[in-house]
Amino acid sequence: MTRRVAILISGGGSNMVKLAESMTGDHPARPVLVLSNDPAAGGLAKAASMGIPTASVDHRPFKGDRAAFETALQAVLAEAAPDIVCLAGFMRILTPDFVGRWQGRMLNIHPSLLPKYKGLHTHQRALEAGDAEHGCTVHEVTPALDDGPILGQARVPVLPGDTPETLADRVLVQEHRLYPAVLRRYAAGDRTRIDLG
Ligand code: GAR
C-alpha cells in the first residue's frame, strides 16, 4: 500500500525537494501535501512546480497561541490524510498535544549529531566546541525538542577555516542524502538506523 507523506516546511525547502524527488518508481510513498507556517516560504512554489498540493497556515495572526495555530494546522493536515509527516526545516516548536497525535508517524531532520546541539545555531555551537566532526540526524518526533528515537545520522568533518556557513553547506549535502534514505526505509516499515559516513 502506498504511504501518503505530508512535508512541513518554513523556508526554502531544499530537503522537501529531495524527499519529493525521491518518492517515485518503486518507492513505497508519495507526497500528498507540502504545508508551511509561512505563506511566503520559497519551498511552496517549488512544491507547486512539482505538482504537489500546497497549503499554508500563517502562525503570525495567532500571536503566540500555539494551541489555536495547531488546531488550524491539524485541520489542513487531516484533510490530506497523511500516513507520515516529515518536518523538513519546519521552524515552529510543536506542543506535546500536537506531537501526540502524530507520534510514531512524524519524522524530523536536525542539523547536528543528536543528542548534541538540540535547538538553534547548531553549526556555530559545533565550531565553538572545537568538534572534529559534525553532521545531521533524522529522528522520530516526540514531545521533547529534538529528542526521540534516532533513525539515521550522517557525518562530515569540521575543516580548518570553517565558518557556520561553510559547515552548514557541507551538512546540508548530507541532509539531502540522509532524509530520503531514512524515509524510504521508514515508509516500508523498517526503523533500523542508517549511518552515512
Ligand atoms: C535544514 O538544515 C534543516 O536541518 C534545518 O533547517 C534547514 C532547512 O533547510 N532544520 C532545523 O534547524 C530544525 N530545527 P531547507 O528548507 O533547505 O530544507
Side-chain angles (χ1 to χ4, degrees):
M1 193 186 68
T2 304
R3 316 294 284 167
R4 299 169 61 84
V5 176
I7 306 172
L8 270 56
I9 64 169
S10 295
S14 70
N15 277 290
M16 176 277 297
V17 169
K18 295 297 175 185
L19 289 174
E21 285 175 350
S22 75
M23 286 185 262
T24 59
D26 66 355
H27 196 291
R30 290 292 183 271
V32 297
L33 177 68
V34 171
L35 175 57
S36 178
N37 63 296
D38 179 358
L44 288 173
K46 292 178 195 163
S49 76
M50 297 172 80
I52 304 166
T54 63
S56 62
V57 178
D58 192 342
H59 67 276
R60 286 165 293 197
F62 293 95
K63 300 188 188 304
D65 184 345
R66 280 185 204 281
F69 166 65
E70 290 177 351
T71 298
L73 201 66
Q74 174 69 20
V76 177
L77 258 186
E79 196 153 327
D83 301 298
I84 299 170
V85 176
C86 290
L87 307 182
F90 186 70
M91 304 305 281
R92 306 302 301 168
I93 291 176
L94 297 168
T95 66
D97 188 44
F98 184 87
V99 170
R101 289 169 191 256
W102 295 99
Q103 198 163 328
R105 297 180 288 159
M106 184 183 278
L107 310 183
N108 180 44
I109 188 156
H110 183 72
S112 78
L113 295 173
L114 290 173
K116 281 189 164 184
Y117 314 132
K118 297 176 180 182
L120 299 175
H121 310 302
T122 58
H123 310 300
Q124 189 179 329
R125 289 158 69 197
L127 286 173
E128 283 170 2
D131 290 353
E133 65 173 11
H134 184 46
C136 53
T137 303
V138 176
H139 64 96
E140 282 193 54
V141 178
T142 55
L145 179 69
D146 298 329
D147 209 61
I150 291 176
L151 296 166
Q153 289 189 322
R155 289 160 194 278
V156 302
V158 178
L159 301 178
D162 261 336
T163 64
E165 291 74 28
T166 60
L167 197 48
D169 288 348
R170 194 174 308 117
V171 170
L172 191 63
V173 172
Q174 297 306 314
E175 294 185 38
H176 294 166
R177 294 174 65 214
L178 180 67
Y179 211 172
V182 170
L183 177 61
R184 177 182 273 269
R185 282 200 192 190
Y186 194 82
D190 179 354
R191 294 178 186 200
T192 53
R193 176 179 168 141
I194 298 175
D195 281 282
L196 303 179

